[in-house]
Amino acid sequence: MAEDPVNVNEYQELARQVLPKMYYDFYAGGAEDQYTLKENVEAFHKITFRPRILIDVSKISLSTTILGYNVSAPIMFAPTAMHKLAHPEGEVATARAAAACNVIMILSYSSMCTVEEVASSCHAIRFFQIYVYKRRDITAQMVQRAERSGYKAIVLTVDVPKLGRREADIKNKMIAPPLKNFEGLLSTQAVSDKGSYLEAYADSTLDASLSWKDVRWLRSITKLPILIKGVLTHEDAIKAVEAGVAGIVVSNHGGRQLDYAPAGISVLEEVVHAVKGKVPVFVDGGVRRGTDVFKALALGAQAVLIGRPVVYGLAAKGEAGVRRVTEMLKDELELTMALSGCPTIKDITRGHVITDRERLHSSL
């Protein structure tokens, strides 16, 4: 592709061209039949707009607040693993792009740059994502390091009691490089004769006994607000609020865990209605356009998380690529707001979109 990309999807093609197949498949792939991976994108296509006209949209503001922090747009960088596989500067380049765009970055537990390196690289607003390991002391140490390094929230991912079956990684015998964050804490090498070394590593470290009591444990060891990531039902949304979390991320892990789980956007309203405004709700999975961001906001999300687009931008053009991907989404969101009659984020309402289910109901 000789021309510069004009949308996020074209960055994916650039990333495919420059990355080794093993790494591209790792970033792009999903679980088993990849139904949920595809549905994450397709579900957005089933939502259409109800634009309002003759409203003054000569000035559009995308700015909003997330957990009290002022940001330029309702977009956050989702926690995605091992950015140095995409670019030599890794998560440091991603953080600098977040700072330049004034959006929040959630650093992955599986970052290839340390918590401290990312913190010292720029002044981005940073959250830190964690898993709970069998060895609770390791999780506790990571939380404490994030707190000392100025991270503003903890994002607890709860949908990985075991790693999903990612068949491309198995075929490629995907190898997980050592993670600097865990040097001296545990071995980051795992041996498997069945395919994916990532799966063997996850089986040896992740705690399948993780339960709601561990959310309370996590709250007891940190003063930082805790967001819970991986909620897909109203039942679990209610339990999350009862457990004292500061926010909920509706997520199916980018289609990488349980195949045939619903797309996040399709169950977003269910979660929003369950929490009744007690905590903010965010959503990830399949966001590729500014129109997708608008749809998520109309259905009750306070912001969206973008994962693969960040990695694709990083692989294609480093920090500049991540910045460009973010600006593309912001520009498209701004245009969507103007054409829908919404001068500010607060003007985006449920009445601005219609879902497939509503269309079907109205036709009966």
Side-chain angles (χ1 to χ4, degrees):
M1 192 181 300
E3 305 87 2
D4 285 337
V6 297
N7 60 52
V8 167
N9 290 318
E10 291 182 357
Y11 267 101
Q12 178 171 355
E13 175 58 22
L14 279 185
R16 188 189 65 78
Q17 292 173 15
V18 301
L19 287 171
K21 183 177 185 300
M22 177 187 288
Y23 296 162
Y24 176 78
D25 288 351
F26 167 67
Y27 289 129
E32 297 185 356
D33 297 327
Q34 302 192 124
Y35 169 84
T36 297
L37 177 71
K38 299 182 187 85
E39 186 63 15
N40 277 347
V41 173
E42 290 298 319
F44 279 103
H45 298 169
K46 300 169 187 173
I47 303 166
T48 53
F49 294 126
R50 300 181 70 250
R52 304 301 302 274
I53 60 171
L54 295 175
I55 294 168
D56 182 356
V57 291
S58 56
K59 294 181 180 177
I60 301 286
S61 174
L62 276 59
S63 62
T64 188
T65 59
I66 296 174
L67 295 190
Y69 296 99
N70 296 322
V71 291
S72 67
I75 295 169
M76 295 192 284
F77 291 177
T80 48
M82 298 187 286
H83 286 196
K84 282 192 176 183
L85 301 185
H87 188 274
E89 293 182 343
E91 290 80 7
V92 163
T94 307
R96 287 175 177 155
C101 296
N102 188 23
V103 297
I104 292 171
M105 175 189 181
I106 306 173
L107 181 67
S108 170
Y109 205 56
S110 300
S111 164
M112 294 179 74
C113 299
T114 66
V115 169
E116 294 81 7
E117 284 172 342
V118 174
S120 63
S121 68
C122 62
H123 296 295
I125 303 167
R126 288 164 278 99
F127 296 172
F128 184 59
Q129 177 250 357
I130 65 163
Y131 296 98
V132 175
Y133 274 17
K134 292 174 182 176
R135 282 184 52 189
R136 293 291 194 274
D137 63 307
I138 292 177
T139 298
Q141 283 189 50
M142 294 302 296
V143 168
Q144 290 157 8
R145 285 170 60 185
E147 201 164 349
R148 285 196 303 268
S149 298
Y151 290 72
K152 304 302 184 184
I154 298 296
V155 179
L156 173 64
T157 295
V158 294
D159 55 4
V160 192
K162 291 182 177 294
L163 200 69
R165 183 175 173 81
R166 305 168 191 175
E167 294 178 358
D169 291 344
I170 294 170
K171 288 179 180 177
N172 292 332
K173 297 187 182 296
M174 175 65 189
I175 299 169
L179 302 175
K180 288 175 69 178
N181 272 322
F182 301 107
E183 285 180 356
L185 294 176
L186 81 169
S187 170
T188 57
Q189 301 296 331
V191 178
S192 172
D193 58 4
K194 295 185 294 183
S196 170
Y197 291 80
L198 293 175
E199 186 176 355
Y201 174 68
D203 285 346
S204 69
T205 56
L206 296 177
D207 192 348
S209 75
L210 184 68
S211 67
W212 289 105
K213 72 178 187 304
D214 295 299
V215 178
R216 291 188 286 274
W217 166 77
L218 185 60
R219 287 186 62 207
S220 75
I221 66 166
T222 181
K223 296 177 182 177
L224 294 178
I226 296 167
L227 278 61
I228 190 167
K229 179 176 177 287
V231 174
L232 291 170
T233 65
H234 77 270
E235 295 94 338
D236 284 340
I238 291 169
K239 286 187 173 182
V241 172
E242 291 172 347
V245 302
I248 290 172
V249 181
V250 177
S251 174
N252 56 39
H253 213 100
R256 296 163 74 80
Q257 280 300 106
L258 176 64
D259 203 14
Y260 297 91
I265 193 66
S266 68
V267 294
L268 171 60
E269 272 198 295
E270 176 182 333
V271 173
V272 168
H273 290 158
V275 305
K276 298 177 180 177
K278 293 174 184 173
V279 298
V281 177
F282 309 94
V283 66
D284 74 4
V287 175
R288 299 294 184 270
R289 287 281 189 181
T291 49
D292 298 337
V293 182
F294 186 103
K295 292 170 185 179
L297 299 179
L299 293 174
Q302 190 175 97
V304 302
L305 280 64
I306 56 170
R308 288 182 177 91
V310 168
V311 174
Y312 297 148
L314 182 67
K317 294 179 182 288
E319 177 187 334
V322 181
R323 291 171 64 168
R324 188 70 193 108
V325 161
T326 309
E327 294 300 334
M328 280 178 172
L329 292 174
K330 289 167 66 173
D331 290 346
E332 290 174 1
L333 174 59
E334 181 177 351
L335 180 60
T336 305
M337 290 169 64
L339 296 179
S340 299
C342 299
T344 73
I345 296 298
K346 290 180 180 178
D347 293 314
I348 301 172
T349 69
R350 182 61 178 83
H352 284 98
V353 295
I354 184 167
T355 64
D356 252 11
R357 190 176 303 168
E358 289 169 320
R359 275 191 295 274
L360 178 62
H361 182 73
S362 64
S363 66
L364 294 178

